[in-house]
């Protein structure tokens, strides 16, 4: 924090297959915050999110955007059962993305404890919110918006809004293949009162929701500690 500021970006060469596509290009990760939510997620850390272009355009990875059961979907069937913990996004896409990062980055990315609704199924039940530990993860509704609209209300007990978004930076992201076309982007929070839906950020930056098997934007986070 003595050298960098929230919002500063660093280029990372991403080379591999994830979300059903092959990719080989430099993408910029930007700083979300320093020592974010340290009592829960650990201190002495920098949290980042993908991504930006070299010119600073906010982007999310897309593949077969809007299609079902392919590309960057939360699940290959239209359900939020199992929540974040058992999602196709967490179990398949995020590990594949980690493997596409340079070895030097893989070696310094630390597993991060995140609390989320890990049950799903349409009930806003506090005990459904439990911990997972991941090196690559999606942000939650609270971490982006700073308030709860659709997520399990108990997530707010364990989460904080990232400084980057709290400072008023844009929540709108554009397709990495078409940087003038905004896209919805996925969050790890389930829509607590619905059985089929996860939370998203809309194309205007507002809170929203989307069927789990639709292909949306992929804008993952990670922690260096």
């Amino acid at each position: 924090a003595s050298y960098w500021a929230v919002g500063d970006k660093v280029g990372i060469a991403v080379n591999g297959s994830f979300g059903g596509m092959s990719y080989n290009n430099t993408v910029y990760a930007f700083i979300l915050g320093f020592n974010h939510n340290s009592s829960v997620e650990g201190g002495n850390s920098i949290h980042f999110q993908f991504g930006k272009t070299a010119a600073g355009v906010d982007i999310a990875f897309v593949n077969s955007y809007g299609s079902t059961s392919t590309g960057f979907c939360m699940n290959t069937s239209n359900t939020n059962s199992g929540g974040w913990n058992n999602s196709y996004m967490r179990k398949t896409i995020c590990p594949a993305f980690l493997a596409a990062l340079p070895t030097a980055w893989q070696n310094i990315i630390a597993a991060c404890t995140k609390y989320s609704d890990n049950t799903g199924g349409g009930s806003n039940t506090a005990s459904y919110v439990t911990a997972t530990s991941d090196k690559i993860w999606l942000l939650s509704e609270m971490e982006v918006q700073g308030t709860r609209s659709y997520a399990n209300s108990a997530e707010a007990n364990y989460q904080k809004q990232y400084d980057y978004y709290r400072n008023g930076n844009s929540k709108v992201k554009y397709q990495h293949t078409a940087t003038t076309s905004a896209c919805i982007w996925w969050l790890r929070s389930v829509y607590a009162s619905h059985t089929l839906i996860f939370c998203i950020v809309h194309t205007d930056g507002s809170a929203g929701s989307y069927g789990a098997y639709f292909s949306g934007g992929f804008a993952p986070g990670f922690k260096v500690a």
Side-chain angles (χ1 to χ4, degrees), residues 116-128:
S116 319
D117 186 323
N118 289 314
T119 299
S123 176
N124 186 35
T125 300
S127 63
Y128 288 2

Side-chain angles (χ1 to χ4, degrees), residues 62-76:
V62 295
N63 183 29
S64 302
Y65 183 70
S67 298
T68 59
S69 304
T70 188
F72 295 105
C73 53
M74 292 299 294
N75 283 312
T76 55

Side-chain angles (χ1 to χ4, degrees), residues 14-37:
V14 180
N15 184 6
S17 297
F18 51 93
M21 71 175 191
S22 296
Y23 189 84
N24 184 9
N25 208 343
T26 295
V27 184
Y28 288 78
F30 59 93
I31 296 174
L32 288 166
F34 299 95
N35 299 315
H36 174 77
N37 199 17

Side-chain angles (χ1 to χ4, degrees), residues 109-193:
I109 292 174
C112 185
T113 297
K114 290 286 188 181
Y115 279 80
S116 319
D117 186 323
N118 289 314
T119 299
S123 176
N124 186 35
T125 300
S127 63
Y128 288 2
V129 177
T130 57
T132 52
S133 180
D134 296 298
K135 286 193 167 186
I136 300 292
W137 26 264
L138 299 187
L139 276 63
S140 71
E141 184 181 63
M142 176 62 65
E143 288 170 343
V144 176
Q145 303 292 355
T147 188
R148 181 257 181 182
S149 295
Y150 306 107
N152 188 311
S153 58
E155 286 192 353
N157 297 332
Y158 306 94
Q159 300 173 357
K160 293 182 179 178
Q161 188 179 26
Y162 274 108
D163 287 344
Y164 179 83
Y165 293 111
R166 185 171 59 83
N167 292 346
N169 289 295
S170 176
K171 302 177 181 76
V172 177
K173 299 193 187 302
Y174 296 85
Q175 300 181 36
H176 84 276
T177 55
T179 57
T180 59
S181 297
C183 60
I184 68 98
W185 50 284
W186 282 117
L187 303 174
R188 70 178 188 274
S189 302
V190 303
Y191 185 161
S193 62

Side-chain angles (χ1 to χ4, degrees), residues 43-108:
N44 193 31
S45 64
I46 310 174
H47 288 226
F48 291 86
Q49 187 182 16
F50 282 96
K52 290 180 183 281
T53 67
V57 177
D58 291 287
I59 57 170
F61 296 103
V62 295
N63 183 29
S64 302
Y65 183 70
S67 298
T68 59
S69 304
T70 188
F72 295 105
C73 53
M74 292 299 294
N75 283 312
T76 55
S77 59
N78 202 26
T79 178
N80 65 19
S81 178
W84 165 246
N85 182 46
N86 288 315
S87 67
Y88 175 77
M89 177 67 74
R90 177 176 182 263
K91 290 193 165 185
T92 301
I93 296 176
C94 288
F97 182 76
L98 177 65
L101 300 181
T103 301
W105 276 96
Q106 292 185 43
N107 289 342
I108 62 170

